[in-house]
């Protein structure tokens, strides 16, 4: 791992680096992992913390944006550093975030003291970069909080360091059910036998798996690539969860796609393939408004007692829906 001018570190696992085609300068994995000078150009609307996470932390590392659930940042270390990272301001850095035991304890104390919190999402950094003992300590402390119904882990490690998903890890994790996992996937090239094995171990341990994918220009911003990825995920028992508009972090312009591109991709999936293969397209609102879903419009309008709809092929259908007379 090396640093460029105090910026987001460069780091990639040998396994993931091996997916890059060395002869292709436009290789999608290369674009996500290898920095280019565009990264140092800040464009209008960009910010280091566009989602205002730091302003929503009652204790360091704990983002409490929605009343009933919290985002618990447990480490700033990742197995690979994505150049479009939402948390580029903190990952791989030393600084105000220490992520040590006393910080973990302060977050756990806050969750224990706030009974409206029923859902904790562990993220970072990558929680699976911590060793099994540390992770087990955290999960057991959280599980001991009676009002916590549900814990989930957000991670990229099953996709970029599948060797980390050992039988010992899943044996430990399965003690803490209900435990869910969201795995960061970007491109169909990531669907390999090794990753199928890591996801298979987690699924066999009864951990429901969801995916999170960020729209990236030149990486996955077309219907065919996204469809192939979603089909690959279903085969590995990963249910597509979110497809994100790329957050406007500083230096991300070369990654961002027009919002309409995301709508076009959803429209190209919905009805054309398995419903389970269609993620929810969201924009995480700058300023901290949370995730806002965007859906292509299938409602054409009302015609008297009929609602006019269009289907995935663009054909119009009527649904009789008399407006109640009062
Ligand atoms: C994404 C996120 C969550 C979880 O959102 P879900 O829609 O429930 O998956 C919770 N807190 C914060 C701050 C988030 O960014």
């Amino acid at each position: 791992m090396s640093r460029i001018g105090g910026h987001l570190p460069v780091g990639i696992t040998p396994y993931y680096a091996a997916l890059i085609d060395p002869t292709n300068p436009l290789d999608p994995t290369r674009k996500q992992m290898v920095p280019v000078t565009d990264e140092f150009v800040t464009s209008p609307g960009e910010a280091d913390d566009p989602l205002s996470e730091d302003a929503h932390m009652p204790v360091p590392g704990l983002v409490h944006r929605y009343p009933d659930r919290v985002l618990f940042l447990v480490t700033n270390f990742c197995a690979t550093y994505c150049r479009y990272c939402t948390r580029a301001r903190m990952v791989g850095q030393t600084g105000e975030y220490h992520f040590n035991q006393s910080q973990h304890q302060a977050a756990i104390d806050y969750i224990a003291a706030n009974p409206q919190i029923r859902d904790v999402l562990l993220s970072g950094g990558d929680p699976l970069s911590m060793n099994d003992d540390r992770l087990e300590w955290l999960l057991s402390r959280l599980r001991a909080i009676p009002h916590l119904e549900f814990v989930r882990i957000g991670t990229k490690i099953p996709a970029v360091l599948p060797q980390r998903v050992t039988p010992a890890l899943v044996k430990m994790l399965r003690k803490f059910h209900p435990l869910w996992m969201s795995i960061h996937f970007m491109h169909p090239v990531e669907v390999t036998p090794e990753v199928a094995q890591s996801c298979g171990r987690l699924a066999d341990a009864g951990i429901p798996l969801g995916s999170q994918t960020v729209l990236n220009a030149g990486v996955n911003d077309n219907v065919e690539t996204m469809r192939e990825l979603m089909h690959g995920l279903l085969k590995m028992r990963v249910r597509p969860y979110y497809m994100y508009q790329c957050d406007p972090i500083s230096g991300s312009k070369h990654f961002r796609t027009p919002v309409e591109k995301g709508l076009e991709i959803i429209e190209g999936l919905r009805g054309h393939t398995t419903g389970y293969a269609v993620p929810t397209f969201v924009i995480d609102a700058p300023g901290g408004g949370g995730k806002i879903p965007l859906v292509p419009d299938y409602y054409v309008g009302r015609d008297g007692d009929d609602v006019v709809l269009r289907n995935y092929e663009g054909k119009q259908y009527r649904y009789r829906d008399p407006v109640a007379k009062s």
Side-chain angles (χ1 to χ4, degrees):
M1 189 171 90
S2 60
R3 276 167 208 284
I4 295 180
H7 209 259
L8 179 69
V10 177
I12 176 167
T13 61
Y15 163 82
Y16 201 50
L19 299 183
I20 297 175
D21 172 2
T23 65
N24 178 10
L26 302 177
D27 180 272
T29 307
R30 176 197 297 268
K31 179 161 190 197
Q32 295 169 68
M33 292 291 137
V34 178
V36 293
T37 51
D38 289 347
E39 196 173 290
F40 298 93
V41 179
T42 300
S43 301
E46 294 180 348
D48 289 344
D49 180 18
L51 310 182
S52 298
E53 290 185 331
D54 292 345
H56 288 91
M57 287 188 191
V59 300
L62 194 77
V63 186
H64 195 180
R65 171 163 300 143
Y66 301 101
D68 75 331
R69 55 206 191 279
V70 287
L71 175 67
F72 184 0
L73 307 177
V74 295
T75 173
N76 60 358
F77 192 84
C78 282
T80 63
Y81 291 98
C82 311
R83 306 324 295 169
Y84 51 88
C85 179
T86 298
R87 305 210 177 85
R89 70 185 188 284
M90 66 166 80
V91 297
Q93 326 259 335
T94 51
E96 65 244 66
Y97 304 97
H98 295 294
F99 303 102
N100 54 20
Q101 173 132 354
S102 69
Q103 191 165 311
H104 286 163
Q105 189 63 55
I108 290 165
D109 292 344
Y110 177 87
I111 296 164
N114 285 275
Q116 78 275 25
I117 298 171
R118 42 164 288 286
D119 169 8
V120 172
L121 167 52
L122 301 184
S123 184
D126 197 315
L128 294 189
S129 71
M130 299 193 299
N131 69 38
D132 291 3
D133 290 346
R134 189 81 202 129
L135 208 48
E136 182 163 13
W137 180 85
L138 269 171
L139 289 169
S140 61
R141 290 304 161 103
L142 290 168
R143 265 285 156 263
I145 300 172
H147 56 263
L148 251 202
E149 296 173 5
F150 172 66
V151 177
R152 37 183 172 156
I153 296 176
T155 174
K156 192 176 175 74
I157 278 185
V160 298
L161 187 60
Q163 300 80 0
R164 169 73 183 95
V165 184
T166 58
L169 174 69
V170 295
K171 188 171 172 216
M172 183 274 284
L173 292 176
R174 68 186 305 163
K175 291 192 288 190
F176 299 102
H177 277 312
L179 180 72
W180 291 49
M181 199 174 276
S182 297
I183 308 175
H184 180 29
F185 279 103
M186 290 295 284
H187 191 275
V189 74
E190 296 166 340
V191 179
T192 66
E194 292 83 359
V195 172
Q197 187 188 50
S198 75
C199 291
R201 279 183 180 161
L202 293 164
D204 284 348
I207 303 171
L209 305 176
S211 68
Q212 312 205 78
T213 301
V214 181
L215 269 172
N216 262 195
V219 173
N220 58 18
D221 60 337
N222 61 79
V223 175
E224 297 68 39
T225 304
M226 209 54 99
R227 190 199 304 121
E228 194 184 338
L229 173 60
M230 299 306 151
H231 288 175
L233 295 179
L234 289 185
K235 286 197 278 183
M236 300 193 300
R237 290 183 279 169
V238 179
R239 161 65 157 115
Y241 183 40
Y242 281 138
M243 182 179 84
Y244 291 94
Q245 178 72 9
C246 186
D247 290 326
I249 60 144
S250 305
S252 63
K253 184 157 184 265
H254 57 299
F255 283 117
R256 276 181 285 119
T257 50
V259 171
E260 290 76 13
K261 179 53 81 175
L263 287 169
E264 178 193 315
I265 290 172
I266 296 299
E267 183 146 9
L269 295 174
R270 175 61 68 197
H272 298 279
T273 188
T274 312
Y276 277 128
V278 187
T280 301
F281 176 38
V282 292
I283 297 186
D284 221 327
K291 296 176 182 70
I292 299 179
L294 288 166
V295 188
D297 199 0
Y298 296 97
Y299 176 92
V300 176
R302 182 171 278 282
D303 181 12
D305 281 349
D306 286 351
V307 162
V308 183
L309 306 166
R310 72 181 173 89
N311 78 348
Y312 72 102
E313 301 164 305
K315 294 186 192 153
Q316 292 200 354
Y317 292 85
R318 285 170 175 265
Y319 175 83
R320 191 155 177 83
D321 181 39
V323 185
K325 307 238 171 17
S326 58

